[in-house]
Amino acid sequence: MEFLCKNSFSSTYLPFNMATIDLHVNGKKHQVAVDPNTPLLWVLRDHIGLAGTKYGCGVAQCGACTVHLDGEAMRSCVLPVSAAADKKITTIEGLSEHGEHPVQKAWLEHDVAQCGYCQSGQIMQAAALLKNNANPTDEEIETAMQGNICRCGTYTRIKAAIKTAASLG
Amino acid sequence: MPQIKTVVGRRSFLKSTAMAGGGMMLGFSWLASCQPLSEEEVLAMPDVWFDINSYLKIGDNGVVSILTPNPEFGQNIRTSMPMLIAEELDMDWQKIVVEQAPYHPEKYGFQFTGGSSGIRTRWESLRMVGATARYMLRQAAAQTWGVPLEEVSTDAGTLYHQASGKSAHYGEMASAAADIPVPEEVKLKEISEFKIVGKSHKNVDGKNIVTGKPMFGMDYKEEGMLIAMLEHPPAFGLTLKAVDDSAVRAMPGVVDVVTVRCYPESYEKASFDVNAFPETVAIVGRSTWEVMQAKKKLQVSWEPIVSRTEFVTNFGGVKEAVSIPAGLESTEGHRAAMEALAAKPGKVVRRDGNPEAAFKKAAKVIERTYSAPFLAHNCMEPLNAFAHVSGDKARIAAPIQIPAFVIPALSASLGVPAENISMELTRMGGGFGRKAYAHYVVEAALISQKVDAPVKLIYTREDDMTNGVYRPAYQATYRAALDENNNLIALHIKAGGVPESPLFANRFPAGAIDNYMAEEWKIDSNITIGAFRAPRSNFIAGAEQSFLDELAEEMGKDPIAFRLDLLKRAKENPVGETNEYEADRLIGVLELVRDKSGWGDKKGNRGVSAYFCHQTYAANVLDIRVEDGKPIVEKVYCAIDCGVVVNPDAARNMAEGAVTDGIGNALFGEMPFREGAPVKNNFHNYRMIRMNEAPKDIEVHFVENEVNPTGMGEPPFPPVFGALSNALYQATGKRHYHQPFLGEEQVIG
């Protein structure tokens, strides 16, 4: 069964519920052989080996799994991988090459994280917000970020970091 | 600071290499290897490391690696503990790399993350680690240079001999230092000499967090690793009857279906071996999604448990009988049982003066009852554990707060000797007490043993939320007797819960009132409970501080002035001899929050609260307004006395988080039960605080003193509940006695 994870495997020999799907993740091409209903989250984590995108709820209620699909924030835990085929997927690992995206820099400046588990989702959500709205108001930030839960309660720092990121442009 | 004996932590100085005086290579654990270094970082890495003691390796280029002992769940001890070592080593913070020590009690002592105890318990021993290494480096330099030890000084990782002008960085003396005998005693720095401790240092894991590097248990991966998930009973009071896995075994990616039983009959449980569902069914497969799909198809039937008594050795080492009743419990049933017990005499825990007589002659008696429901921890990282059991050896990598506490259960359940169990301590995506109850580690290990393969067990969010170990449900009745001049002459507390009481009979206001009585009761339950951020305090603080607020109003006093009057009495002429708090320090945080918040000058809807727990003192003033039934917390002022503040910005972060978490749990937190089943199972129905509901601004102030540091993880949490309820009263004219404050109508006021 190991072959199910191999990217180069020919679709001819796939079990009935499998499909080969082409994905563009962080500028790299990947071909995966999976059940097309598999949420993108698990394809990223289990098959492509990118663990930065987190599992928190599986029902699009906590935002820990947020990625960008053609630049828009998406909850990858409910997005079938088939719907992401041939689209540009960006995960936390691909947001910038060395963590120098303004949102990442602002997160470090404000030392936002406590446990850190939700933060990649928070950062991806914030980066998508700033892409569409370079200078959001407090209310716009709250609206954009209210799908992302942080049990540690770092919201005040997240908000401050988003404002700093906006100023870093 | 006097000379301190190093002998206390002598076992900490076991050399972990046989190559005495020679170099050793950095061990490649998963935690180190999964965080690829940048080219710059690789170039900065030394060719050879010298092992100074089990916590410290010094590279030939002067880079120092610190193995930090306690597991991290967000309180930032992976930064603050190495700061303690680096301070006494007199090291340049920029040249320090931090590694997570594996579980190894002989080398690293009690690796316990909980009870806000990390910094408090490591304050001396970790500084000693640094001071001892610095001594050995100085001694090595003295011998190499042929100069007296007293003339060798250090600064930021470099050794100096002023008279001869000689100098060497630590890496150049590391080889010789490794051969120097560990001194019998060392001198620690005076607090005034600190260069690192007391100044803010960024989280050492910050970069890895914002770039999504794998570091959590959930991220753990090994070649050939299988994924497992569990099916546990849908309700408390049920246990496994039979499994039909025929449909599941044929599903894609499924490797095996096995039943696992933690804690064999003969095993004597300790208080952290909590597990409502000792027997569960595991589905093991190739990938997470395939296992999730199979889990939906698994057919399991359940049957009622029978009542039993378990003997559990508590934290203090005493064996206690715990009664676990059969039956399917409900929140309504709990409420009725609590009302009934609250009406009967409880077990008197403390009695001062003559409370009965005082209540008899009282001109006025005020009585109020407070309650709060069960709460789920809801760490953002659901429970998980990696295990590979092979023959008589077990290898674990898991998010776990107290690794030592799971060893006996692992050993007994697996039949593997304790010394053959190794454990890597991954970062935890939140703990809050939940990851101190490591049944999930035992389950993962049993699954691995049964399928004879490396396995990562993952709890779905639903499994995590419905598996138990909740914050208990509590109730407390406060009664105050006032004389004809409106003076407080007696206080009576009667508190209880399912299945434990929240009472701290010897905390404030005990000691401040002549006639005082504290009673408690409890109700047995088969719903499992455990520590949840500031256990018991997280309820009783809110009840007490709300009652004091109402009392102050009744007596026509300012709420802060009233508390200070009581504390003055407790300080100058305390009642009783078993009071557990320092009145002076509680006064300190109240005065600080009063001054910083402009109390008395600034108008508006504000509430105040102060509480002591886990050796730290915290007070809040909270400003609120209510718009269309929605509470908006505009500002929170925190004043905290945790002694020396090791890493100020990180400590502020903890307080800000605790305030926000507290507001969320007070307004929304609730786990109800119907026919034994937890009613909520994911974030669509378990409401968590979100950014739009968080305080708009939080200001944190620390009392400045030189008291040995105490913890920050829990103490800033309990007072928030009272400050919020008192502010809500100002905003709405309505007192809130029952959590969650938002209630079924989902509006305030």
Side-chain angles (χ1 to χ4, degrees):
Chain A
M1 295 296 276
E2 196 55 38
F3 62 82
L4 291 180
C5 301
K6 296 271 161 61
N7 295 343
S8 56
F9 197 79
S10 157
S11 58
T12 325
Y13 299 102
L14 291 177
F16 65 97
N17 64 334
M18 297 283 156
T20 22
I21 293 167
D22 291 316
L23 294 173
H24 299 271
V25 185
N26 301 332
K28 281 188 199 145
K29 284 190 175 183
H30 296 266
Q31 196 174 63
V32 292
V34 293
D35 171 356
N37 291 320
T38 308
L40 176 62
L41 168 69
W42 296 113
V43 174
L44 291 170
R45 292 184 60 86
D46 284 0
H47 299 267
I48 297 178
L50 293 172
T53 306
K54 300 301 185 212
Y55 166 67
C57 69
V59 292
Q61 291 291 315
C62 79
C65 67
T66 304
V67 298
H68 295 173
L69 198 66
D70 285 342
E72 295 295 321
M74 285 281 164
R75 307 295 186 230
S76 66
C77 72
V78 292
L79 184 77
V81 64
S82 53
D86 300 321
K87 298 206 168 136
K88 198 180 141 208
I89 301 160
T90 308
T91 71
I92 185 74
E93 292 92 343
L95 185 62
S96 65
E97 206 173 336
H98 301 294
E100 71 278 17
H101 186 282
V103 173
Q104 290 167 313
K105 287 204 290 205
W107 243 249
L108 292 177
E109 188 182 322
H110 290 269
D111 221 0
V112 170
Q114 285 187 28
C115 87
Y117 193 80
C118 74
Q119 298 297 350
S120 47
Q122 304 272 6
I123 288 168
M124 294 309 281
Q125 185 70 31
L129 162 70
L130 292 177
K131 191 163 159 277
N132 293 326
N133 180 355
N135 215 348
T137 63
D138 279 27
E139 210 178 329
E140 286 167 340
I141 294 173
E142 288 176 13
T143 303
M145 299 303 294
Q146 65 178 289
N148 291 70
I149 299 175
C150 173
R151 157 96 217 251
C152 298
T154 61
Y155 298 123
T156 45
R157 284 187 186 230
I158 291 175
K159 197 196 278 183
I162 292 173
K163 289 182 186 176
T164 297
S167 71
L168 293 173
Chain B
M1 182 64 66
Q3 296 276 113
I4 67 163
K5 298 274 184 199
T6 58
V7 71
V8 183
R10 193 127 198 121
R11 280 147 63 105
S12 307
F13 291 88
L14 292 174
K15 296 284 175 71
S16 61
T17 173
M19 301 165 69
M24 66 167 286
M25 293 303 293
L26 175 61
F28 279 97
S29 67
W30 173 79
L31 290 168
S33 64
C34 73
Q35 291 164 15
L37 301 170
S38 70
E39 202 176 334
E40 258 177 356
E41 287 165 326
V42 172
L43 287 176
M45 279 294 146
D47 296 326
V48 185
W49 288 104
F50 298 96
D51 225 12
I52 304 299
N53 56 51
S54 56
Y55 294 88
L56 267 177
K57 289 181 288 205
I58 299 181
D60 56 355
N61 64 350
V63 169
V64 168
S65 165
I66 294 179
L67 281 105
T68 189
N70 293 26
E72 172 72 79
F73 65 12
Q75 76 286 42
N76 210 14
I77 48 169
R78 270 174 56 82
T79 305
S80 50
M81 285 189 175
M83 282 171 66
L84 301 183
I85 296 178
E87 177 68 66
E88 296 286 347
L89 182 61
D90 206 11
M91 187 59 200
D92 175 1
W93 183 252
Q94 298 307 320
K95 288 191 182 153
I96 284 183
V97 292
V98 174
E99 290 178 74
Q100 181 64 52
Y103 168 69
H104 200 307
E106 284 78 19
K107 286 184 183 174
Y108 303 110
F110 192 26
Q111 295 166 286
F112 179 114
T113 294
S116 301
S117 65
I119 291 294
R120 179 165 56 84
T121 57
R122 297 281 186 176
W123 172 241
E124 259 189 6
S125 63
L126 290 184
R127 290 169 64 205
M128 192 177 74
V129 165
T132 306
R134 178 172 169 269
Y135 172 89
M136 289 155 75
L137 286 160
R138 285 174 59 232
Q139 190 68 263
Q143 287 176 9
T144 308
W145 296 335
V147 300
L149 175 68
E150 303 73 50
E151 293 178 13
V152 179
S153 62
T154 62
D155 184 35
T158 302
L159 295 141
Y160 295 96
H161 182 247
Q162 215 172 359
S164 65
K166 286 191 166 80
S167 72
H169 66 65
Y170 285 176
E172 295 171 278
M173 288 294 167
S175 175
D179 279 340
I180 300 288
V182 176
E184 286 296 319
E185 45 183 46
V186 286
K187 191 171 183 293
L188 298 181
K189 285 185 181 177
E190 298 291 340
I191 287 170
S192 60
E193 297 174 285
F194 284 170
K195 296 173 191 164
I196 293 173
V197 170
K199 294 186 179 62
S200 293
H201 289 74
K202 301 265 189 227
N203 188 336
V204 294
D205 296 312
K207 187 80 182 278
N208 286 332
I209 289 169
V210 304
T211 52
K213 295 288 186 294
M215 61 182 79
F216 299 96
M218 193 62 99
D219 304 338
Y220 193 91
K221 206 167 189 176
E222 272 190 19
E223 198 62 35
M225 181 182 87
L226 299 173
I227 300 290
M229 288 192 177
L230 288 178
E231 193 67 10
H232 68 71
F236 292 85
L238 295 181
T239 190
L240 180 67
K241 186 181 177 190
V243 189
D244 175 3
D245 59 16
S246 52
V248 168
R249 284 188 175 275
M251 288 180 73
V254 173
V255 172
D256 209 344
V257 179
V258 295
T259 57
V260 288
R261 191 182 164 86
C262 298
Y263 315 112
E265 291 297 336
S266 59
Y267 176 70
E268 288 194 5
K269 279 188 168 182
S271 53
F272 284 80
D273 291 322
V274 174
N275 184 6
F277 310 120
E279 197 164 20
T280 51
V281 187
I283 300 156
V284 187
R286 300 279 173 198
S287 73
T288 314
W289 181 246
E290 287 169 319
V291 174
M292 274 181 171
Q293 296 310 101
K295 185 165 145 63
K296 290 177 195 160
K297 302 279 186 203
L298 189 70
Q299 300 289 314
V300 188
S301 54
W302 314 98
E303 62 187 356
I305 61 166
V306 289
S307 299
R308 66 182 191 280
T309 300
E310 278 186 355
F311 292 91
V312 177
T313 306
N314 71 19
F315 205 28
V318 180
K319 201 187 275 191
E320 287 178 342
V322 179
S323 171
I324 298 162
L328 301 177
E329 300 173 23
S330 70
T331 297
E332 277 177 18
H334 289 152
R335 281 195 189 126
M338 290 203 284
E339 290 298 325
L341 270 193
K344 292 178 188 164
K347 177 183 152 201
V348 177
V349 183
R350 176 163 166 169
R351 192 174 178 281
D352 296 328
N354 191 339
E356 293 85 355
F359 273 97
K360 212 167 194 177
K361 71 172 188 192
K364 197 190 280 177
V365 172
I366 301 164
E367 178 180 320
R368 298 289 182 266
T369 295
Y370 303 83
S371 71
F374 284 90
L375 295 175
H377 292 77
N378 296 339
C379 305
M380 292 315 294
E381 178 196 30
L383 300 176
N384 66 84
F386 168 86
H388 189 190
V389 180
S390 179
D392 66 347
K393 288 192 171 57
R395 206 158 47 77
I396 307 289
I400 180 170
Q401 288 181 230
I402 322 176
F405 284 2
V406 74
I407 295 287
L410 270 174
S411 177
S413 303
L414 298 169
V416 165
E419 61 272 20
N420 287 4
I421 301 170
S422 67
M423 225 183 293
E424 273 196 72
L425 310 176
T426 68
R427 189 180 188 86
M428 289 171 266
F432 307 102
R434 182 62 183 89
K435 287 170 184 161
Y437 304 88
H439 55 85
Y440 52 97
V441 174
V442 183
E443 291 157 355
L446 282 167
I447 298 166
S448 170
Q449 191 177 46
K450 282 209 169 183
V451 302
D452 194 19
V455 164
K456 182 165 73 182
L457 170 66
I458 296 176
Y459 274 51
T460 62
R461 172 58 60 193
E462 290 82 1
D463 292 340
D464 182 284
M465 209 180 276
T466 59
N467 191 277
V469 197
Y470 301 115
R471 197 286 299 268
Y474 294 124
Q475 182 171 310
T477 300
Y478 281 77
R479 287 168 72 221
L482 303 182
D483 68 12
E484 58 282 356
N485 298 319
N486 246 358
N487 292 315
L488 175 62
I489 55 169
L491 184 75
H492 174 207
I493 309 167
K494 196 198 284 182
V498 186
E500 69 162 22
S501 151
L503 187 68
F504 287 99
N506 296 317
R507 286 191 185 164
F508 180 75
I513 299 157
D514 287 312
N515 304 296
Y516 170 85
M517 182 150 83
E519 296 177 75
E520 66 180 10
W521 46 266
K522 51 190 180 178
I523 296 166
D524 292 334
S525 172
N526 57 38
I527 297 169
T528 51
I529 59 115
F532 179 110
R533 194 173 211 171
R536 303 189 282 155
S537 303
N538 58 36
F539 165 70
I540 205 76
E544 167 199 305
Q545 292 292 310
S546 300
F547 187 69
L548 291 183
D549 203 69
E550 200 163 344
L551 211 49
E553 187 186 33
E554 195 66 38
M555 295 163 71
K557 291 190 172 182
D558 171 80
I560 292 186
F562 172 55
R563 286 169 173 82
L564 289 173
D565 286 349
L566 288 173
L567 284 162
K568 197 167 165 235
R569 165 68 204 276
K571 180 187 167 186
E572 289 170 358
N573 181 23
V575 181
E577 284 165 4
T578 54
N579 301 323
E580 287 169 1
Y581 61 98
E582 288 178 48
D584 219 17
R585 296 180 73 186
L586 208 42
I587 290 170
V589 290
L590 265 168
E591 288 181 342
L592 184 61
V593 83
R594 177 192 65 193
D595 299 345
K596 294 293 180 186
S597 68
W599 185 267
D601 303 327
K602 206 176 143 192
K603 297 291 169 231
N605 308 312
R606 5 182 54 188
V608 65
S609 173
Y611 199 70
F612 154 78
C613 71
H614 298 89
Q615 312 304 318
T616 292
Y617 299 76
N620 291 325
V621 165
L622 187 148
D623 291 329
I624 204 167
R625 71 190 153 88
V626 174
E627 245 175 44
D628 304 326
K630 193 178 146 201
I632 296 163
V633 180
E634 289 178 314
K635 178 116 187 179
V636 183
Y637 300 87
C638 304
I640 292 164
D641 179 355
C642 60
V644 173
V645 185
V646 174
N647 193 2
D649 192 47
R652 278 194 290 275
N653 198 350
M654 289 310 295
E656 293 161 13
V659 163
T660 304
D661 187 23
I663 291 169
N665 277 294
L667 288 174
F668 316 125
E670 179 180 30
M671 177 56 95
F673 294 88
R674 199 179 299 133
E675 296 192 355
V679 171
K680 304 186 176 190
N681 65 355
N682 204 327
F683 297 129
H684 65 288
N685 54 15
Y686 198 112
R687 191 166 170 189
M688 305 283 286
I689 192 166
R690 291 168 186 271
M691 186 189 276
N692 56 323
E693 296 144 347
K696 304 300 171 200
D697 189 22
I698 304 169
E699 212 175 282
V700 183
H701 301 276
F702 293 99
V703 173
E704 283 180 33
N705 60 33
E706 294 199 349
V707 177
N708 285 356
T710 52
M712 280 296 297
E714 289 159 301
F717 182 67
V720 186
F721 294 77
L724 176 65
S725 82
N726 297 337
L728 281 173
Y729 170 67
Q730 297 299 326
T732 65
K734 193 180 152 198
R735 293 273 176 193
H736 290 76
Y737 301 105
H738 306 290
Q739 292 173 31
F741 295 148
L742 213 54
E744 279 172 25
E745 65 276 21
Q746 297 289 299
V747 291
I748 280 291

